[in-house]
Amino acid sequence: MLTKRIIPCLDIKDGRTVKGTNFVDLRDAGDPVELGAFYAEQGADELVFLDITATVEKRKTLHELVKRIARYVNIPFTVGGGVSSIEDAGVLLNSGADKVSINTAAYKNSQLIADLANEFGNQFVVLAIDTKQEDDGEWYVYLNGGRTKTATKCFDWAKYAVNLGAGEILLTSMNNDGTKKGFAIDITKQLSENLAVPVIASGGGGTMEHFVDVFNNGKADAALAASIFHFKEIAIRDLKRYLYNKQIEVRI
Amino acid sequence: MKIVIIKYNAGNIQSVLFALERIGVYATVTANHEEIASADKVIFPGVGEANSAMNSLKENNLNYVIQSLKQPVLGICVGMQLLCKYSEENNTECLGIFNEPVKKFNSDIFKVPQIGWNNIYDLQSPLLNGIDENSYCYFVHSYYVPLNKHAIATANYVQPYAAAICKNNFYGVQFHAEKSAHVGEQILKNFIQL
């Protein structure tokens, strides 16, 4: 049976992981490659590398980094951050990335989704959506790392993007992100049950039970988290064992 | 030993190269007919759409080269599908090594493409030596090869289907061995040792 996936997310700046980690057993926890390989050994199913570098040197650094990741990490990985053209994505694919995630650039130019899907296949295109539930109860799309609100509803955008060729949705709830109070179950479920592509839930995972909840009740295909893994609050191996004992199909 | 990866317009060649490197194997990426024909082992990777992949092979007459190979050949993902007779993906005539069709997953319940780790079982080939029944491999695909007499591994998504196939010197794996952690690395090692 196809398993539910656990995906650690690493933020990268100038080729180094940021947000810090307290892995004492790593030689260099700031090295995305070493940290990624460590997670792969621990049983992570995929990795997401999000590049937040803002300099003009970015493309070259990222290209080199992706190549190093592909060389040493033996599980699939997605690269996001600043992909806004076929050329950007092609460089990442040819360096060994399995997927790219696109967010604001796709919203501003939705043709990018179709172009990437046509060129590289829809399995290559992960649409990342930052969403926030407003007082009216509706979930809206936010851009630019959550700084810019739009009037578009999350579900509408996701559906539109899937029709254009997005092969997966990486859904981050801004209401939940950083709270460690659990994932946004309702919007995850709405997307997962009504879209024909996998949904990766992100934001809010704080306990192992939260992951059970997002798989069983949110119907997520995968769950992503960052700091709880980086700060060893939850070890991936323990989490997967826990999910397995809760009769959730996982790779252990 | 000379290992060759067939170079054509189909994606994940870099990943295959790196996976081989991790098991201490250095391969040449080439579209040169003589180099391919004289290799000890040939890897035929693939990501993307079957019709354009097939066209890319034909542009360089690589279709004839592959069909004439006598040494062990490993098709990966779309590479495996192209070894079959015909793909429903844009009605593509494939290489016809395996007289089998490639069909689209058809389901209202299951998401398509299948993306992620699935278990493989009924393993029966030296290619899968040392691999435990129900080991997990990484799959990304919308089209599949139905179970047939050449199946050497089965996976289940929508229905049981061929996760790996073998006929004479030709092998195919639907999953991405190059991205399937230690299981995938073992399978690549087995292929090199065939």
Side-chain angles (χ1 to χ4, degrees), chain A residues 45-237:
Chain A
D45 296 302
E46 284 183 41
L47 300 168
V48 169
F49 295 88
L50 206 55
D51 188 45
I52 57 172
T53 312
T55 62
V56 287
E57 293 296 307
K58 174 180 181 133
R59 192 184 289 205
K60 188 167 182 298
T61 341
L62 187 61
H63 163 77
E64 294 299 321
L65 176 64
V66 167
K67 217 162 181 171
R68 277 212 307 132
I69 295 167
R71 188 181 290 261
Y72 294 106
V73 173
N74 62 10
I75 58 171
F77 65 95
T78 301
V79 179
V83 174
S84 57
S85 68
I86 295 274
E87 292 72 36
D88 292 340
V91 167
L92 296 177
L93 176 72
N94 291 326
S95 306
D98 298 279
K99 313 175 194 179
V100 293
S101 93
I102 47 176
N103 190 333
T104 304
Y107 186 88
K108 289 184 172 162
N109 168 26
S110 56
Q111 184 61 33
L112 178 64
I113 300 171
D115 290 348
L116 288 174
N118 287 335
E119 186 75 20
F120 307 113
N122 59 0
Q123 85 293 333
F124 183 66
V125 185
V126 180
L127 179 75
I129 305 177
D130 294 326
T131 187
K132 189 173 172 187
Q133 188 175 33
E134 302 285 351
D135 294 339
D136 62 2
E138 298 283 354
W139 291 88
Y140 291 92
V141 175
Y142 276 69
L143 305 176
N144 301 314
R147 290 188 298 274
T148 312
K149 184 183 187 292
T150 73
T152 306
K153 286 173 190 162
C154 176
F155 181 76
D156 296 342
W157 170 226
K159 192 173 176 185
Y160 182 68
V162 168
N163 286 336
L164 285 173
E168 254 178 312
I169 303 289
L170 167 51
L171 179 71
T172 302
S173 161
M174 293 165 59
N175 305 69
N176 301 61
D177 201 23
T179 65
K180 295 186 186 170
K181 288 182 175 168
F183 294 92
I185 300 301
D186 61 339
I187 187 68
T188 303
K189 184 178 179 199
Q190 190 194 359
L191 263 57
S192 193
E193 286 193 332
N194 292 292
L195 300 175
V197 303
V199 173
I200 305 164
S202 157
T207 67
M208 297 203 212
E209 199 54 39
H210 291 155
F211 287 83
V212 175
D213 193 28
V214 81
F215 290 135
N216 282 345
N217 302 317
K219 310 293 178 196
D221 298 281
L224 176 143
S227 57
I228 55 160
F229 298 138
H230 301 331
F231 292 102
K232 270 189 170 168
E233 289 163 30
I234 293 179
I236 289 174
R237 206 170 287 245

Side-chain angles (χ1 to χ4, degrees), chain B residues 64-75:
Chain B
Y64 301 120
V65 176
I66 295 170
Q67 284 165 335
S68 67
L69 293 174
K70 297 282 178 273
Q71 61 275 59
V73 178
L74 178 64

Side-chain angles (χ1 to χ4, degrees), chain A residues 20-36:
Chain A
T21 62
N22 69 347
F23 283 111
V24 286
D25 40 355
L26 286 187
R27 207 162 29 85
D28 178 6
D31 179 10
V33 178
E34 192 170 356
L35 190 55

Side-chain angles (χ1 to χ4, degrees), chain A residues 231-244:
Chain A
F231 292 102
K232 270 189 170 168
E233 289 163 30
I234 293 179
I236 289 174
R237 206 170 287 245
D238 297 342
L239 172 60
K240 294 189 84 175
R241 177 61 60 182
Y242 185 86
L243 295 171
Y244 179 82

Side-chain angles (χ1 to χ4, degrees), chain B residues 130-150:
Chain B
I131 305 296
D132 292 334
E133 284 284 318
N134 294 309
S135 290
Y136 286 100
C137 293
Y138 190 80
F139 291 84
V140 180
H141 60 127
S142 300
Y143 294 80
Y144 70 98
V145 177
L147 278 182
N148 63 74
K149 63 181 176 188
H150 303 295

